[in-house]
Amino acid sequence: MTDDPLSLDNQLCFAIYAASHAFTKAYRPLLTELGLTYPQYLVMLVLWEKRAASVTEIGAALGLDTGTLSPLLKRLEKTGYIRRERSREDERQVMIALTTSGVILKTRAQNVLKTIGQAIGCDLQQMQALMDGLRRVRRNLEEA
């Protein structure tokens, strides 16, 4: 750190921004093996947890709008990992569900977290502490 408060090295926002880019770069080869982009992986994480969700629920979980999600979901549907259907209860809602291929893909993705943990030099407990701190930062920023 320098004495200059406007030095790039003194900016927490830049440290987080640069770390985000480094994470995406580290994930890329792992996700390429799965046939996924990083945003598609995030969608799959939501679906592996819930099995099925509306586009609105996925968008809320990831902080993405439907304009961003729609093309992403179409590409995932073409890969055969998900299927899109209109909700029977509310035809305005589009439901996203895993296919058998999407469920099987979860097994292939099991080592992603472990590999990323090794790349950043953290065990699961340290990663949890880091995530808790970042969630707290995000919550505080959203409330500010």
Side-chain angles (χ1 to χ4, degrees):
M1 288 191 120
T2 68
D3 291 336
D4 181 0
L6 294 180
S7 168
L8 190 58
D9 286 340
N10 289 342
Q11 305 305 309
L12 177 60
C13 60
F14 182 72
I16 292 171
Y17 173 81
S20 174
H21 280 279
F23 266 105
T24 303
K25 186 177 178 181
Y27 270 93
R28 190 171 293 122
L30 302 171
L31 299 180
T32 297
E33 286 182 30
L34 301 175
L36 297 173
T37 64
Y38 186 71
Q40 290 171 337
Y41 176 66
L42 297 178
V43 169
M44 294 303 290
L45 289 171
V46 171
L47 293 172
W48 288 329
E49 189 175 323
K50 298 181 180 232
R51 293 288 278 211
S54 70
V55 172
T56 305
E57 290 170 323
I58 295 170
L62 300 177
L64 297 174
D65 61 43
T66 55
T68 302
L69 270 178
S70 291
L72 198 152
L73 294 170
K74 285 179 185 178
R75 286 191 303 274
L76 280 172
E77 188 174 38
K78 284 182 183 178
T79 65
Y81 294 145
I82 66 165
R83 70 176 173 280
R84 297 179 306 148
E85 300 173 349
R86 292 264 170 215
S87 168
R88 292 182 186 124
E89 293 83 34
D90 182 354
E91 288 193 13
R92 296 172 296 176
Q93 286 281 352
V94 176
M95 298 301 296
I96 308 300
L98 289 171
T99 62
T100 302
S101 295
V103 173
I104 291 169
L105 184 65
K106 181 178 182 180
T107 303
R108 292 182 47 215
Q110 292 296 323
N111 287 327
V112 171
L113 183 61
K114 180 181 175 186
T115 303
I116 292 298
Q118 290 170 341
I120 63 173
C122 289
D123 62 24
L124 289 177
Q125 186 176 0
Q126 291 168 317
M127 285 176 61
Q128 188 61 53
L130 192 57
M131 286 187 293
D132 290 344
L134 289 170
R135 285 185 189 110
R136 187 173 53 255
V137 166
R138 179 181 175 191
R139 192 172 46 251
N140 290 345
L141 287 170
E142 288 173 348
E143 291 173 2

Coordinates of all heavy atoms in Angstrom, one line a residue, residues 122-137:
C122 N -6.5 -22.7 -0.5 CA -7.4 -22.7 0.7 C -8.0 -24.1 0.9 O -8.3 -24.7 -0.1 CB -8.5 -21.7 0.5 SG -8.1 -20.0 0.5
D123 N -8.2 -24.5 2.1 CA -9.0 -25.7 2.4 C -10.5 -25.2 2.5 O -10.8 -24.0 2.4 CB -8.5 -26.4 3.7 CG -8.7 -25.5 4.9 OD1 -9.5 -24.6 5.0 OD2 -8.0 -25.8 5.9
L124 N -11.4 -26.2 2.6 CA -12.8 -25.9 2.6 C -13.2 -24.9 3.8 O -14.0 -24.0 3.6 CB -13.6 -27.1 2.7 CG -13.6 -28.0 1.5 CD1 -14.4 -29.3 1.7 CD2 -14.2 -27.2 0.3
Q125 N -12.6 -25.0 4.9 CA -12.9 -24.1 6.0 C -12.4 -22.7 5.7 O -13.2 -21.7 6.0 CB -12.2 -24.6 7.3 CG -12.6 -23.8 8.5 CD -11.9 -24.4 9.8 OE1 -11.2 -25.4 9.7 NE2 -12.2 -23.8 10.9
Q126 N -11.3 -22.5 5.1 CA -10.8 -21.2 4.8 C -11.6 -20.6 3.7 O -11.9 -19.4 3.7 CB -9.3 -21.3 4.3 CG -8.3 -21.6 5.4 CD -7.0 -22.0 4.9 OE1 -6.8 -22.7 3.9 NE2 -5.9 -21.4 5.6
M127 N -12.0 -21.4 2.7 CA -12.9 -21.0 1.6 C -14.3 -20.5 2.2 O -14.8 -19.5 1.8 CB -13.2 -22.1 0.6 CG -12.0 -22.3 -0.3 SD -12.1 -23.6 -1.5 CE -13.5 -23.1 -2.4
Q128 N -14.8 -21.2 3.2 CA -16.0 -20.8 3.8 C -15.9 -19.5 4.5 O -16.8 -18.6 4.4 CB -16.5 -21.9 4.8 CG -17.9 -21.7 5.4 CD -19.0 -21.7 4.3 OE1 -19.0 -22.6 3.5 NE2 -19.8 -20.6 4.2
A129 N -14.8 -19.3 5.2 CA -14.6 -18.0 5.9 C -14.5 -16.9 4.9 O -15.0 -15.8 5.1 CB -13.3 -18.1 6.8
L130 N -13.8 -17.1 3.8 CA -13.7 -16.1 2.7 C -15.1 -15.8 2.1 O -15.4 -14.6 2.0 CB -12.7 -16.6 1.7 CG -12.2 -15.7 0.6 CD1 -11.5 -14.5 1.2 CD2 -11.3 -16.4 -0.4
M131 N -15.9 -16.8 1.9 CA -17.2 -16.6 1.3 C -18.1 -15.8 2.3 O -18.8 -14.9 1.9 CB -17.8 -17.9 0.9 CG -17.3 -18.5 -0.3 SD -18.1 -20.0 -0.9 CE -17.8 -21.2 0.4
D132 N -18.0 -16.2 3.6 CA -18.8 -15.5 4.6 C -18.4 -14.0 4.6 O -19.3 -13.1 4.7 CB -18.5 -16.1 6.0 CG -19.1 -17.4 6.1 OD1 -20.0 -17.8 5.3 OD2 -18.8 -18.1 7.1
G133 N -17.1 -13.7 4.5 CA -16.7 -12.3 4.5 C -17.2 -11.5 3.3 O -17.7 -10.4 3.4
L134 N -17.1 -12.2 2.1 CA -17.6 -11.6 0.9 C -19.1 -11.4 0.9 O -19.6 -10.4 0.4 CB -17.1 -12.4 -0.3 CG -15.6 -12.3 -0.6 CD1 -15.2 -13.3 -1.7 CD2 -15.2 -10.9 -1.0
R135 N -19.8 -12.3 1.5 CA -21.3 -12.2 1.6 C -21.6 -11.0 2.5 O -22.6 -10.2 2.2 CB -21.9 -13.4 2.1 CG -22.0 -14.6 1.1 CD -22.7 -15.8 1.6 NE -22.6 -16.9 0.7 CZ -21.9 -18.0 1.0 NH1 -21.3 -18.1 2.2 NH2 -21.8 -18.9 0.1
R136 N -20.9 -10.8 3.5 CA -21.1 -9.7 4.4 C -20.8 -8.4 3.7 O -21.6 -7.4 3.8 CB -20.2 -9.9 5.7 CG -20.5 -8.8 6.8 CD -19.7 -9.1 8.1 NE -18.3 -9.2 7.9 CZ -17.6 -10.4 7.9 NH1 -18.3 -11.5 8.1 NH2 -16.3 -10.5 7.7
V137 N -19.7 -8.3 2.9 CA -19.4 -7.1 2.2 C -20.6 -6.8 1.2 O -21.0 -5.7 1.1 CB -18.1 -7.3 1.4 CG1 -17.9 -6.2 0.4 CG2 -16.9 -7.3 2.4

